[in-house]
């Protein structure tokens, strides 16, 4: 069976305590508990046999999906790439400390176990080394890139206010809340924080330039150079990460 590969941008990633926010364009948000692979080395055209040598470790992930959009969007870009669609963490278990060939995955919804969502990586259609080899054959994987390995069993619907917990045997739990009501606040705060951060960078750049002009050449030039590099390379770095997160 052919492997279906899609991307989630870096803006979809949230932490264990952050709310999952459904876009206004959807009315059917689903959970998909999975084991996530965290890459530790640059991987390009690696073989199935050598694939695990490039892995740093593993963590929990909820591949949140807008099921109603998935059926009408051939690339799944909106269905799986919307903001907050990739709750990840809370920590990484090193590669050799987890039985990744048969990792037991379970799921809790509002405090109750969901047996139909339980499974094991032993039942994946495509094994983890096979996935790494396939992706690296056309896209370079970088350290820190994350591969969601697939849901080994059924997924299900999420309602506003639901609390979802992804369990992977050998790890602790990762807790995620589904919160539709905070959509406006979240959408407002993120751009605001980005603007504040960029203004701060520009201010330091200006201060550095003034110091350089006033005679503190070495100190001012160093500050200006570092901050200008940080300011103008950060968006490119985010784009690169977003393109390679699977």
């Amino acid at each position: 069976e052919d492997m279906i590969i899609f991307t989630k941008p870096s803006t979809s990633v949230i932490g264990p305590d952050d709310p999952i926010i459904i876009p206004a364009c959807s009315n059917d948000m689903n959970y998909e508990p999975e084991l996530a692979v965290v890459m530790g080395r640059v991987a390009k055209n690696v073989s199935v046999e050598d694939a695990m040598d490039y892995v740093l470790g593993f963590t929990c992930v909820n591949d949140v999906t807008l099921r109603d959009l998935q059926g009408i969007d051939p690339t799944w870009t909106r269905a799986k790439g919307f903001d907050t669609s990739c709750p990840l963490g809370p920590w990484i278990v090193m590669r050799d400390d987890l039985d990744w060939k048969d990792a037991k995955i379970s799921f809790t919804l509002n405090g109750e176990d969901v047996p139909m969502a339980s499974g094991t990586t032993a039942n994946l259609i495509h094994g983890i080394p096979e996935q790494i080899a396939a992706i690296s054959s056309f896209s370079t994987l970088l350290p820190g890139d994350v591969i969601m390995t697939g849901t080994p069993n059924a997924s299900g619907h999420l309602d506003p206010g639901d609390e979802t917990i992804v369990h992977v045997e050998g790890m602790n739990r990762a807790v995620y809340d589904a919160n539709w009501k905070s959509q406006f606040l979240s959408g407002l705060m993120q751009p605001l924080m980005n603007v504040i951060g960029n203004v701060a960078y520009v201010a330091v750049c200006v201060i550095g330039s003034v110091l350089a002009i006033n005679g503190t050449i070495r100190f001012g030039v160093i500050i200006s150079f570092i901050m200008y590099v940080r300011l103008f390379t950060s968006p490119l770095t985010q784009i690169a990460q977003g393109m390679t997160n699977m």
Side-chain angles (χ1 to χ4, degrees):
E1 185 173 342
D2 290 339
M3 190 180 302
I4 298 175
I5 300 174
F6 57 92
T7 62
K8 281 182 179 278
S10 58
T11 50
S12 69
V13 178
I14 58 174
D17 298 319
D18 296 329
I20 303 168
I21 304 167
I22 190 170
C25 57
S26 174
N27 293 304
D28 188 12
M29 185 164 66
N30 280 227
Y31 58 81
E32 294 186 15
E34 303 179 12
L35 177 70
V37 175
V38 183
M39 301 302 295
R41 296 168 53 193
V42 175
K44 178 63 177 177
N45 291 324
V46 303
S47 66
V48 173
E49 293 75 19
D50 296 335
M52 298 308 295
D53 293 339
Y54 295 81
V55 172
L56 173 67
F58 305 90
T59 191
C60 301
V61 66
N62 191 348
D63 178 17
V64 184
T65 302
L66 305 177
R67 198 67 73 201
D68 50 351
L69 297 186
Q70 188 176 18
I72 60 176
D73 189 349
T75 63
W76 295 0
T77 301
R78 291 180 298 167
K80 288 182 174 286
F82 65 96
D83 289 352
T84 75
S85 65
C86 188
L88 194 66
W91 48 69
I92 299 172
V93 174
M94 295 297 100
R95 178 191 60 203
D96 296 333
D97 294 332
L98 186 76
D99 182 10
W100 53 268
K101 294 180 181 179
D102 189 19
K104 306 297 190 300
I105 301 172
S106 58
F107 183 75
T108 301
L109 180 63
N110 298 325
E112 297 185 5
D113 291 336
V114 183
M116 71 173 187
S118 299
T120 170
T121 54
N123 294 332
L124 292 173
I125 298 174
H126 302 282
I128 292 174
E130 185 183 355
Q131 294 183 34
I132 296 172
I135 296 170
S136 73
S137 69
F138 69 90
S139 179
T140 301
L141 290 166
L142 303 178
D145 282 351
V146 175
I147 300 174
M148 297 177 299
T149 57
T151 306
N153 214 329
S155 61
H157 179 75
L158 287 174
D159 289 315
D162 282 348
E163 181 186 74
T164 71
I165 304 177
V166 177
H167 306 264
V168 176
E169 190 175 70
M171 299 184 191
N172 208 330
R173 66 182 190 176
V175 183
Y176 317 111
D177 291 325
N179 185 352
W180 298 0
K181 296 181 179 179
S182 60
Q183 179 177 2
F184 174 76
L185 180 61
S186 176
L188 178 65
M189 289 303 295
Q190 187 61 50
L192 179 60
M193 294 304 295
N194 289 341
V195 170
I196 292 174
N198 286 336
V199 169
Y201 282 128
V202 171
V204 175
C205 291
V206 171
I207 292 173
S209 299
V210 170
L211 289 173
I213 293 172
N214 288 339
T216 316
I217 302 297
R218 184 174 301 175
F219 180 66
V221 169
I222 290 175
I223 290 181
S224 297
F225 176 74
I226 291 175
M227 299 314 294
Y228 276 124
V229 168
R230 174 64 180 87
L231 179 63
F232 290 110
T233 60
S234 179
L236 297 178
T237 302
Q238 292 176 6
I239 291 173
Q241 290 174 344
M243 291 297 291
T244 56
N245 283 344
M246 302 292 178

